[in-house]
Every structure is written in C-alpha cells, then in structure tokens.
Amino acid sequence: MVLDLTASSVDLTRAICDIPSVSGEEKSLADAIEAAVTPLEHLDVFRHGNTIVARTDRGRAQRVAIAGHIDTVPINANLPTRDIKIDGVPYLWGRGTVDMKAGTAVQLKLAAELTDPAIDITWMWYDNEEIEASKNGLGLLAAVRPDLFEADFAILGEPSNGEVEGGCNGTLRALVRTTGVRAHSARAWIGENAIHRAAPILTRLAEYRANEVLVEGLLYRESLSAVRIAGGVAGNVIPDACEVEVNYRFAPSKSAADAEAHLRGVLAGFDIEITDAAEGARPGLDAEIAKQFVAAVGAEPRPKYGWTDVARFSALGIPAVNYGPGDPHLAHHDEERVPLAQIDAVERGLRAWLTSR
C-alpha cells in the first residue's frame, strides 16, 4: 500500500484505516509510513521495530514531540471504512477512525507539508499502544534512543473531540483469586466452590463508588471495575479455582503505589496479583508553551479519563496533552466513527500553532 501524503487528511484517514493493524500486526502500516516519509528532505527518519520517528532540525528555540499510535483493537466486521451520514453530518465509519488513525493521518499530512515550521517537531508513529505496557513502541524506543524524547512540549493525537485533554488517569490491572476443592457436582457438598467464593469480590466492586478528584483545575473521575472472570473445570465438576481481573483507573494525583494500596484495601482478604500498572500524568497546562497551544487552537481544556502515552512524556518532565479528532466514547466501539469536520478542524488547529509561533 502506497500512502499519498498530498491527499486530504480525510482521505489519508481512510487509507490508513483500510490497512489493518491490530496490535502486534502493524508491520504493513509501519512499512507504508516509512516509505512515505523517508523521501522528505526536511525530515530525518529513524525506525525501531514498527515505530517510525521523523524529525525537523531547523535550529528553533523549542521543540515539540507529536505522537500517534498506529495499532487498533481487534476488527469486528467494521472494515473497510465507509462514509455515512447521521442527522446530515458526514462521518467516516470503521475500526481505527477514532482511536486513533484520524489523528495519525493529520500528523502525517502536516509532517509532509510543514517543511519550515516555527518550532522544531519530532513526529512519532508507534505500535502496540492498545496492549500491555511492556510492548508499547514508545517505551521500547525510549530504552534505546532516549535522546529522541527531548522536547519542551508533547501532543498525543488521541481522540478528544477536537478539544484539549490535559494529562490522563493512571491504570492498574490485577488478578484477584479464590481457591476451593474439586468434587462431583452431584455431590457439591463434598467440595468447596471457588466461583461461589468470588461473589464477595463482585459485590464489593458493584457497591464501589468512584471518586472524583480535582487536579490542577481539572476534575478526573476514577473507576474500579471487574473486566474478566475465569473459572471452571467441566460441566459436572465443582471448580477449585477462580480469578477475577480488575482494572482500576486512578486520578493523576495518585502514584501507581497509591493505587495498589487502595485496591488492596477495597479487596482486603483476597489473594491479589498486580499484573500491569502505568502512572497517570498531571495536566501540564500551566507551562507557557501549553498555554500558547491551547490559545492557538481555541480549545477548552478537559481531563483525560483513559490512560494515554502523555504519561511517558510527563514522567520525563515534559508537559503533554491529548488533541485529536473523534469522540473518546466511541473508541473501541463497533460503531466507531469520526466526523469529517473534526479531522479538518484538528488539522487547522495544529497547522496554525506550528506555523505562527
């Protein structure tokens, strides 16, 4: 597949969405992006795995890192893309249109066209964002080329309805286990049912009331949810093991250690294994460069409830925000769709800021 970077951002969105790139299967799209940006003389291009970096080097006083992931969650009969209208509003429908190939398409177009930007830019397109942190392309890149992350400000093209979303919640996953004794289900009293023993876990989670936490003027909402349950041996066997997978989304004022302590407190008395954790990111909107960006794009800052890679930049002391087309509520949805007007609006906003500073 050849990507035409002279096409509109809408057409580029359509093109890259129609190249399937479920997490772990991004090579075809990464190849197409590398082939499209490598001939551009104003960019220095570097590839690590399926992550592509393209940088300007005009000797500007400041540098911004602008990043977008190229993977999606699994396809569910929602490719190829198609154009639809809802109440007369034109949308592009299909997997990845919201999360987050529309944002990536805008970045690719601007990377090609902004040959002499007012601020130096490091463009980053990376793989494996939608799965465990250990495989994240940005994380793997940082381990071998930390110098590429040097910047005064960072923008992630995550869906934000064309508004600016500051920082992000942290995320923690855990397995909560119960054990029992196997027996024939016709003589259930001989055994001890591990699935039944999981009932208090589910009750505590169902009764849990999420906190709302004010952080630097933005109100972050937390959540603590069961996302998977597994157990059972056979249709006539009392199970001796059960595990509930729990996901805690916590405000950026908490550390991952704080989040773990809170989870263990809520589910005290159960065997808990932490399987994955990622720190959140404070809004970072008090930096002067961030204020200039928000003013230039004319957006109203909001909190980001989901975890995004702004956290990686925040951990490096780089203020970072989310800014991209698409409704976050439709991310991963089978009816994923993005308004065409939002793609154009985000392109205009980024272009204005990158050329007028």
Side-chain angles (χ1 to χ4, degrees):
M1 179 74 179
V2 176
L3 295 179
D4 178 7
L5 301 189
T6 67
S8 69
S9 290
V10 170
D11 286 340
L12 270 175
T13 301
R14 185 179 293 107
I16 64 175
C17 285
D18 285 340
I19 302 175
S21 57
V22 174
S23 301
E25 302 171 5
E26 302 96 333
K27 185 178 185 302
S28 293
L29 181 53
D31 289 346
I33 290 173
E34 182 183 29
V37 298
T38 296
L40 301 174
E41 294 183 357
H42 64 285
L43 295 175
D44 296 324
V45 178
F46 173 79
R47 178 167 181 167
H48 179 68
N50 287 324
T51 293
I52 313 298
V53 178
R55 304 171 79 249
T56 66
D57 191 10
R58 299 299 190 194
R60 305 299 189 220
Q62 291 180 304
R63 176 175 293 277
V64 60
I66 303 180
H69 66 79
I70 64 173
D71 63 321
T72 72
V73 297
I75 297 162
N76 188 23
N78 48 6
L79 281 184
T81 55
R82 66 174 187 261
D83 291 281
I84 64 172
K85 283 190 177 182
I86 299 177
D87 296 329
V89 177
Y91 289 80
L92 183 64
W93 173 97
R95 176 62 77 226
T97 53
V98 171
D99 193 9
M100 55 157 284
K101 290 185 175 181
T104 298
V106 168
Q107 295 169 7
L108 284 167
K109 181 170 180 59
L110 293 177
E113 294 185 358
L114 300 184
T115 59
D116 193 29
I119 183 172
D120 270 318
I121 308 169
T122 300
W123 304 99
M124 297 176 159
W125 302 292
Y126 61 102
D127 61 339
N128 284 324
E129 189 272 349
E130 299 288 4
I131 56 176
E132 60 266 33
S134 62
K135 295 182 180 179
N136 183 290
L138 276 189
L140 297 176
L141 177 67
V144 297
R145 289 293 305 271
D147 57 299
L148 295 177
F149 287 77
E150 295 175 2
D152 300 283
F153 184 51
I155 301 168
L156 273 291
E158 291 282 356
S160 63
N161 267 325
E163 301 292 341
V164 173
E165 293 185 335
C168 69
N169 276 339
T171 181
L172 180 148
R173 291 184 178 85
L175 294 177
V176 188
R177 297 188 175 96
T178 59
T179 58
V181 177
R182 290 191 192 188
H184 196 297
S185 61
R187 299 172 181 82
W189 58 90
I190 302 298
E192 296 176 8
N193 195 311
I195 292 179
H196 292 180
R197 287 182 170 181
I201 300 171
L202 301 178
T203 298
R204 292 187 201 181
L205 294 174
E207 294 177 349
Y208 182 84
R209 294 295 173 261
N211 294 320
E212 292 186 340
V213 184
L214 191 65
V215 183
E216 297 175 13
L218 298 183
L219 191 64
Y220 291 84
R221 182 168 183 173
E222 299 187 330
S223 64
L224 180 60
S225 309
V227 294
R228 186 182 63 86
I229 186 166
V233 180
N236 60 353
V237 177
I238 298 302
D240 62 343
C242 180
E243 61 182 27
V244 180
E245 185 173 6
V246 175
N247 184 207
Y248 180 29
R249 301 291 177 139
F250 55 93
S253 54
K254 287 187 176 77
S255 68
D258 294 334
E260 178 179 347
H262 179 74
L263 174 69
R264 290 187 182 278
V266 172
L267 297 174
F270 290 98
D271 176 21
I272 299 172
E273 177 190 356
I274 305 301
T275 58
D276 189 35
E279 303 280 357
R282 302 184 76 90
L285 294 170
D286 53 347
E288 187 58 35
I289 190 171
K291 294 177 182 178
Q292 293 168 357
F293 170 73
V294 171
V297 301
E300 182 70 27
R302 300 174 181 176
K304 187 70 170 179
Y305 296 135
W307 187 91
T308 77
D309 280 299
V310 295
R312 297 187 185 278
F313 291 96
S314 179
L316 296 171
I318 301 168
V321 299
N322 305 277
Y323 178 63
D327 182 349
H329 291 95
L330 291 175
H332 304 183
H333 198 287
D334 286 345
E335 295 300 320
E336 194 172 348
R337 59 189 182 271
V338 61
L340 304 190
Q342 258 185 32
I343 300 175
D344 292 335
V346 168
E347 180 190 331
R348 287 195 302 272
L350 270 179
R351 186 188 299 275
W353 183 66
L354 291 168
T355 57
S356 65
R357 296 183 79 267

